[in-house]
């Protein structure tokens, strides 16, 4: 299977360089490049321009990476967003995750790590390098420290957490669990409340840290 990618970066040379690298990967192809989020939203008006993955810069004029990730999360939640940025500070990382990013890479990574990240992203639904994961865990720990004591999770909630760590949509998770999408959403919302979390990425990170799933 070939996965389609769109690169969003206001630096043309960087976008072209990343596109050339990605085109060298066996199972990935670049549909096009866009110089900012606003251009991307215009292209998305045509279904054939909607990719499987968006490699997204953070600092851009007109519509930056945070705004673009939030727009994609709301309007195209099935598109996997990988932040590709010169920023590696904790605030940018956490903000991108909260806006729906499923991965985060520094622009100076070796092409082999980019390829590994893309394969992990499409197969497991998320990819964060070790430095990013440690920062997310620290933030997650701080959020949990401020939240009430964690209640005991039911077997069905644990089962949902394990499926949530895959690339499956909520509807597909419902099919695996033999329940309706509405019931799946109730498991998600219950876990959000119990664990003091707000995003699917947060749930997955909790599941990994708790040993319920392994990435």
């Amino acid at each position: 299977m070939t996965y389609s990618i769109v690169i969003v970066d206001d630096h043309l040379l960087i976008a072209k360089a990343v596109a050339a690298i990605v085109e060298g990967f066996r199972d990935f192809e670049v549909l096009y490049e866009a110089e900012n989020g606003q251009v991307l939203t215009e292209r998305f008006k045509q279904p054939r321009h909607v990719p499987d993955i968006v490699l997204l810069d953070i600092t851009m004029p007109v519509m930056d990476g945070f705004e673009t990730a939030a727009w994609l999360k709301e309007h195209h939640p099935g598109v996997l967003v990988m932040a590709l940025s010169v920023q590696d500070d904790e605030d940018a990382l956490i903000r991108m995750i909260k806006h729906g990013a499923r991965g985060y890479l520094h622009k100076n990574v070796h092409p082999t790590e980019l390829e590994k990240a893309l394969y992990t992203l499409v197969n497991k639904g998320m990819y964060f390098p070790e430095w990013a994961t440690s920062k997310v865990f620290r933030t997650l720990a701080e959020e949990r420290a401020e939240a009430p004591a964690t209640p005991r999770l039911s077997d069905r909630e644990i089962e949902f957490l394990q499926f949530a760590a895959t690339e499956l949509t909520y509807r597909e998770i419902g099919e695996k669990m033999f329940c309706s999408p509405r019931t799946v959403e109730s498991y998600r919302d219950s876990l959000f409340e119990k664990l003091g979390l707000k995003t699917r990425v947060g749930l997955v990170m909790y599941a990994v840290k708790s040993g319920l799933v392994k990435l």
Side-chain angles (χ1 to χ4, degrees):
M1 179 177 179
T2 299
Y3 298 94
S4 57
I5 294 177
V6 166
I7 300 167
V8 186
D9 196 311
D10 62 315
H11 294 92
L12 180 61
L13 288 177
I14 292 178
K16 293 293 184 183
V18 173
I21 292 172
V22 171
E23 288 289 356
F25 301 156
R26 185 181 62 186
D27 297 317
F28 300 93
E29 64 178 5
V30 176
L31 287 183
Y32 56 89
E33 300 100 37
E35 56 264 41
N36 58 59
Q38 186 176 80
V39 173
L40 182 73
T41 61
E42 289 296 319
R43 297 294 295 271
F44 267 45
K45 290 179 179 179
Q46 297 187 40
R48 63 189 178 89
H49 288 160
V50 178
D52 299 305
I53 301 170
V54 169
L55 290 181
L56 183 62
D57 187 22
I58 293 180
T59 306
M60 298 179 292
V62 185
M63 185 174 178
D64 65 20
F66 301 115
E67 296 173 288
T68 305
W71 183 88
L72 288 167
K73 179 181 178 181
E74 179 179 356
H75 296 92
H76 295 275
V79 174
L80 299 170
V81 176
M82 171 80 76
L84 191 60
S85 176
V86 295
Q87 298 186 47
D88 60 2
D89 63 281
E90 185 170 342
D91 288 342
L93 169 64
I94 299 303
R95 282 185 66 191
M96 284 301 293
I97 291 175
K98 289 183 176 180
H99 282 74
R102 303 287 192 87
Y104 197 107
L105 283 178
H106 199 273
K107 283 185 176 179
N108 67 358
V109 297
H110 193 277
T112 55
E113 183 174 354
L114 175 57
E115 184 176 22
K116 173 188 175 182
L118 291 174
Y119 275 111
T120 304
L121 185 65
V122 297
N123 288 318
K124 295 187 177 180
M126 61 186 299
Y127 177 83
F128 294 95
E130 185 176 349
W131 68 265
T133 303
S134 64
K135 290 183 178 181
V136 172
F137 280 161
R138 182 167 63 251
T139 299
L140 177 60
E142 291 172 354
E143 290 180 353
R144 291 184 63 203
E146 296 174 357
T150 303
R152 183 181 183 86
L153 304 184
S154 70
D155 290 341
R156 291 290 276 177
E157 288 172 336
I158 293 174
E159 183 181 6
F160 166 77
L161 276 175
Q162 292 170 336
F163 280 124
T166 70
E167 72 275 16
L168 296 175
T169 65
Y170 287 133
R171 180 177 296 278
E172 290 169 336
I173 291 174
E175 293 174 355
K176 294 287 186 180
M177 295 181 67
F178 301 102
C179 63
S180 68
R182 186 179 296 274
T183 301
V184 169
E185 291 175 358
S186 72
Y187 291 139
R188 178 200 63 193
D189 294 342
S190 174
L191 287 166
F192 280 165
E193 183 176 354
K194 284 183 177 182
L195 303 176
L197 302 172
K198 297 180 181 180
T199 67
R200 181 170 177 171
V201 171
L203 291 176
V204 174
M205 288 299 184
Y206 169 83
V208 172
K209 187 175 181 180
S210 301
L212 297 175
V213 300
K214 295 182 179 179
L215 295 180

